[in-house]
């Protein structure tokens, strides 16, 4: 849910953002949020549920969180492949150009992961 909030939190109303943040990020109970916000626990629960629904629906339509996860996994695989190539170069070929290209590829993968 927190990843969905990071991507789509701006699509929520201000009140839903606050409720979500207090519940998920500050780890407050419904009763604590209720007291803090001056609404019933049921109102807090309903607001959080609406926020969750909005975030899930937005992800269903856009799929950005899923794509982000896939991209991160592919970058890790790519980095592993480059490390293997670098190791092969170090043991068999000792080619400085291959070493340089591996370094460049790893640097790009790191930058894309940030």
């Amino acid at each position: 849910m927190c990843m969905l909030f990071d991507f789509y939190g701006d699509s929520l109303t201000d009140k839903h953002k606050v409720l979500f943040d207090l519940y998920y990020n500050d780890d407050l109970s419904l009763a604590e949020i209720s007291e803090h916000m001056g609404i019933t626990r049921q109102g807090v629960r309903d607001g959080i549920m609406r926020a969750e629904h909005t975030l899930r629906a937005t992800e269903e339509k856009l799929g950005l969180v899923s794509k982000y996860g896939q991209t991160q996994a592919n970058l890790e695989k790519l980095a592993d492949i480059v490390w293997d190539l670098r190791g092969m170069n170090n043991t068999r070929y000792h080619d400085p150009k291959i070493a340089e290209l591996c370094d460049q590829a790893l640097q790009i993968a790191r930058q894309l992961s940030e």
Side-chain angles (χ1 to χ4, degrees):
M1 287 311 304
C2 288
M3 185 72 99
L4 293 176
F5 184 74
D6 288 344
F7 273 77
Y8 307 121
D10 287 339
S11 67
L12 300 176
T13 66
D14 289 340
K15 186 173 184 177
H16 287 155
K17 284 180 197 176
V18 171
L19 292 173
F20 187 95
D21 188 50
L22 291 172
Y23 185 73
Y24 280 101
N25 295 327
D26 293 346
D27 201 28
L28 297 180
S29 69
L30 297 179
E32 291 170 319
I33 298 169
S34 170
E35 186 177 313
H36 176 76
M37 298 289 293
I39 58 177
T40 65
R41 283 185 291 166
Q42 185 63 42
V44 171
R45 183 184 175 286
D46 289 347
I48 292 169
M49 296 296 284
R50 283 189 195 110
E52 290 174 351
H53 174 72
T54 299
L55 295 174
R56 284 190 187 108
T58 305
E59 172 60 14
E60 237 178 75
K61 289 176 187 170
L62 300 178
L64 296 178
V65 174
S66 176
K67 289 175 189 173
Y68 176 80
Q70 291 170 351
T71 299
Q72 293 304 308
N74 286 334
L75 284 170
E76 287 179 24
K77 289 177 189 175
L78 180 61
D80 290 343
I81 291 168
V82 173
W83 277 108
D84 289 346
L85 290 172
R86 189 179 195 186
M88 288 173 53
N89 184 52
N90 289 342
T91 57
R92 292 187 189 163
Y93 308 111
H94 308 288
D95 185 328
K97 183 64 177 173
I98 293 174
E100 179 186 336
L101 292 172
C102 287
D103 289 344
Q104 289 175 9
L106 288 170
Q107 182 179 6
I108 291 169
R110 267 189 239 110
Q111 288 172 347
L112 292 173
S113 292
E114 294 175 351

